[in-house]
Amino acid sequence: MAQENTSKMQRLKELFSEKIESTQKEVKDFIAAHGDTVIGEIKISQLYGGMRGMQALITETSKLDPAEGIRFRGYSIPELQEKLPKYPGGEQPLPEGIFYLMLYNELPDDDTVRRVSNNWARRAQIPPHVFKVIDALPMHTHPMTQFVVGIMALRTESEFKKAYRNGINKSEYWEPTYEDAMNLIARLPRVAAYIYRRMYHNGDHIEPDPSLDWSGNFAHMLGFDNEEFHELLRLYMTIHVDHEGGNVSAHTIHLVGSALSDAYQSFAAGMNGLAGPLHGLANQEVIRWIFAMRDELGGGLPSKEQIANYVRQTLNDGKVVPGFGHAVLRKTDPRYTAQRDFAQKHMPHDDLFQIVSRVYEVVPEILQETGKVKNPWPNVDAHSGQLLMHYGLTQYDFYTVLFGVSRSLGTLASLIWDRALGFPLERPGSTTTELLKEQYGKK
Ligand code: HAX
């Protein structure tokens, strides 16, 4: 039995290894032919402005178009909702499918997705010390901190770490990275669910059900066995996977990985970035902001005028309106639209959905009035909390952990490719204001 399991896992890995050589050649030939081509210019304002708009990274798994939104290996979210395999009787894509697409650059069929599901289920064993380490943290530790601690505790299992110590040849780096990435993806839902049940259900933990798909099992371990919630989580886990390479979490994982830190170290580093309020933590901040507004206005559905006043107050207090704006996008985030469609189908009369919809009607115009916000439209985080609330996942401090579990799929697929393509240590140059003034200040 153990032998049969190993050979099934081997087949997915062999399939990937077959892709490497041709892709390496493609990239090498392209660099040889076009390596000196200039693709843009860098302005001084970009150095001070968070490098917006600078093309500086190669990330194969997805590309973000400001006017259109995210495409994963060329496919938009609505296209993936149509083309990716679904759970029997379900309508939402299985995240196993988008992972396969990102890693293999091919749309999987039902059978392949089942193999990915089974592969992860077989890898999902967590060593007991990981739970002990999490249990040692005070209960008021933020769930994202517990998540990062859990990931670092899992690092005892790193295959890359062992292989490097044993002197692995650099041409083989991808292999233990693949093992680490697959093991980590398989184990993250269990770690996340453990934190959730520890914090909010008196440590009443739920055993995994390996017969379920990856996100169905995650929902089950969180304590949600309603099939509609499983569908929501499949959608959630699919749309949060990746957002090209420059966002804080993906970029951090890529950067730390370039030092040949293993997948556990790299992913934990990225999760600390996701935990920032301008990035993934915005999903908890949206709900906190809406609840604070509702409380201040005495409950119920606020009028458009009341919302407008509250938004203006937020801006006057020198705070951001969470869930709105984006560093790259210049339209309503298609990930927001996918969640809105889900709400319209499954819970059109939900109270919180009414508020989220009304906020959408009011906020963009006010942000536009400021004259400085480049994208007044809602991003992915403006909607996700409402959907989770509807099904009873009300502990919003936990929301960024869900985002983090999903983000493993895109960023770790990228990390495997980083090692397969032999990407070097990332080390851009920096300069000083004094030097810039000396060089360019007199022109
Ligand atoms: N509310 C108030 N002010 C905002 C704003 C918002 N939602 N979005 C942008 N601005 C402000 C910026 O703070 C900046 O102000 P200053 O010039 O005074 O510093 C100005 O408008 C220009 O910013 P920008 O160029 O439009 O946006 P950035 O690329 O600098 O920042 C952010 C992009 C996402 C960080 C920004 O829009 C923001 O803070 N949004 C709210 C937080 C949020 O929802 N974050 C999640 C983003 C999606 C994501 O990563 N999810 O994980």
Side-chain angles (χ1 to χ4, degrees):
M1 183 64 178
Q3 220 168 6
E4 193 195 331
N5 283 347
T6 315
S7 75
K8 276 185 188 156
M9 296 219 247
Q10 278 311 94
R11 277 206 293 277
L12 273 180
K13 187 152 124 187
E14 272 162 24
L15 215 58
F16 178 71
S17 79
E18 285 160 19
K19 300 250 161 199
I20 296 177
E21 207 176 316
S22 59
T23 312
Q24 279 174 340
K25 183 173 172 347
E26 188 188 342
V27 171
K28 206 169 147 203
D29 291 352
F30 180 67
I31 297 171
H34 302 284
D36 289 329
T37 304
V38 176
I39 60 162
E41 53 183 25
I42 296 173
K43 292 187 192 152
I44 286 175
S45 59
Q46 288 175 295
L47 298 190
Y48 289 94
M51 299 188 278
R52 294 290 183 285
M54 230 185 243
Q55 303 282 317
L57 298 166
I58 298 292
T59 304
E60 309 286 10
T61 44
S62 65
K63 171 71 187 152
L64 180 57
D65 182 274
E68 198 206 22
I70 189 72
R71 279 185 180 269
F72 304 93
R73 296 282 191 179
Y75 295 99
S76 67
I77 289 173
E79 283 166 356
L80 291 180
Q81 282 176 306
E82 190 201 316
K83 290 182 196 300
L84 283 179
K86 312 194 170 45
Y87 196 71
E91 288 181 352
Q92 297 301 333
L94 285 161
E96 287 88 332
I98 194 167
F99 172 77
Y100 188 89
L101 172 68
M102 286 186 294
L103 186 63
Y104 293 79
N105 195 15
E106 254 175 52
L107 277 174
D109 57 17
D110 287 357
D111 185 50
T112 307
V113 156
R114 243 193 319 276
R115 274 162 62 192
V116 176
S117 249
N118 293 340
N119 190 303
W120 289 345
R122 282 193 299 272
R123 292 172 181 270
Q125 207 65 26
I126 309 249
H129 74 266
V130 174
F131 299 130
K132 284 190 196 144
V133 168
I134 293 172
D135 283 338
L137 294 169
M139 205 58 94
H140 63 265
T141 310
H142 191 276
M144 275 305 276
T145 310
Q146 300 196 34
F147 190 50
V148 169
V149 168
I151 295 162
M152 286 311 293
L154 266 174
R155 185 179 177 242
T156 48
E157 311 309 293
S158 173
E159 297 291 329
F160 185 88
K161 184 187 64 177
K162 273 184 242 155
Y164 196 84
R165 186 170 278 212
N166 291 335
I168 187 175
N169 186 301
K170 66 199 311 187
S171 64
E172 291 163 8
Y173 284 167
W174 72 268
E175 211 177 323
T177 303
Y178 173 96
E179 291 299 328
D180 281 355
M182 295 292 270
N183 287 338
L184 190 47
I185 291 169
R187 291 165 189 173
L188 286 173
R190 182 100 194 266
V191 173
Y194 189 88
I195 295 164
Y196 180 74
R197 299 294 300 183
R198 166 180 194 248
M199 291 183 76
Y200 308 117
H201 291 276
N202 299 318
D204 178 13
H205 298 292
I206 300 171
E207 284 299 305
D209 178 351
S211 71
L212 290 168
D213 57 303
W214 181 73
S215 38
N217 182 41
F218 186 17
H220 163 73
M221 289 187 290
L222 289 168
F224 297 85
D225 281 321
N226 163 357
E227 187 48 36
E228 211 172 278
F229 182 83
H230 286 210
E231 277 287 277
L232 169 66
L233 209 59
R234 286 172 196 130
L235 173 68
Y236 189 108
M237 291 290 136
T238 297
I239 61 178
H240 286 82
V241 284
D242 210 29
H243 221 216
E244 73 167 35
N247 65 80
V248 171
S249 51
H251 188 186
T252 306
I253 293 164
H254 167 77
L255 168 66
V256 175
S258 83
L260 298 185
S261 304
D262 59 54
Y264 296 86
Q265 294 168 311
S266 308
F267 188 68
M271 288 302 97
N272 278 319
L274 192 75
L278 296 187
H279 191 17
L281 202 80
N283 61 8
Q284 91 170 36
E285 293 301 292
V286 164
I287 293 296
R288 262 177 17 94
W289 182 83
I290 289 180
F291 283 5
M293 171 173 70
R294 211 176 50 180
D295 289 351
E296 194 172 304
L297 300 173
L301 178 62
S303 67
K304 283 191 186 180
E305 200 189 347
Q306 284 175 317
I307 295 174
N309 289 338
Y310 196 78
V311 171
R312 291 206 169 89
Q313 188 58 52
T314 302
L315 296 176
N316 288 342
D317 289 346
K319 298 191 271 194
V320 295
V321 180
F324 285 77
H326 201 273
V328 180
L329 270 171
R330 295 295 176 255
K331 64 167 264 188
T332 295
D333 192 333
R335 300 171 299 175
Y336 177 92
T337 309
Q339 295 179 95
R340 183 171 165 78
D341 291 348
F342 191 95
Q344 260 161 342
K345 173 159 188 207
H346 294 286
M347 61 201 75
H349 306 298
D350 177 271
D351 289 349
L352 196 51
F353 177 47
Q354 305 302 320
I355 300 181
V356 166
S357 300
R358 206 165 266 186
V359 167
Y360 183 21
E361 289 171 42
V362 172
V363 170
E365 202 179 314
I366 300 175
L367 290 183
Q368 250 155 353
E369 279 169 15
T370 65
K372 65 173 185 179
V373 178
K374 295 193 191 65
N375 177 43
W377 304 107
N379 59 56
V380 66
D381 301 313
H383 216 305
S384 53
Q386 177 273 322
L387 294 168
L388 298 164
M389 278 279 164
H390 177 81
Y391 294 104
L393 208 165
T394 56
Q395 301 86 355
Y396 47 77
D397 276 6
F398 186 74
Y399 290 173
T400 312
V401 176
L402 295 175
F403 192 156
V405 172
S406 169
R407 188 65 33 130
S408 68
L409 302 186
T411 55
L412 294 177
S414 275
L415 196 71
I416 299 170
W417 271 115
D418 288 353
R419 298 290 77 79
L421 293 174
F423 283 173
L425 179 83
E426 196 168 287
R427 205 315 185 178
S430 71
T431 187
T432 66
T433 299
E434 193 178 352
L435 281 171
L436 277 177
K437 280 168 108 175
E438 258 173 51
Q439 282 175 279
Y440 306 102
K442 293 181 194 87
K443 283 187 192 159

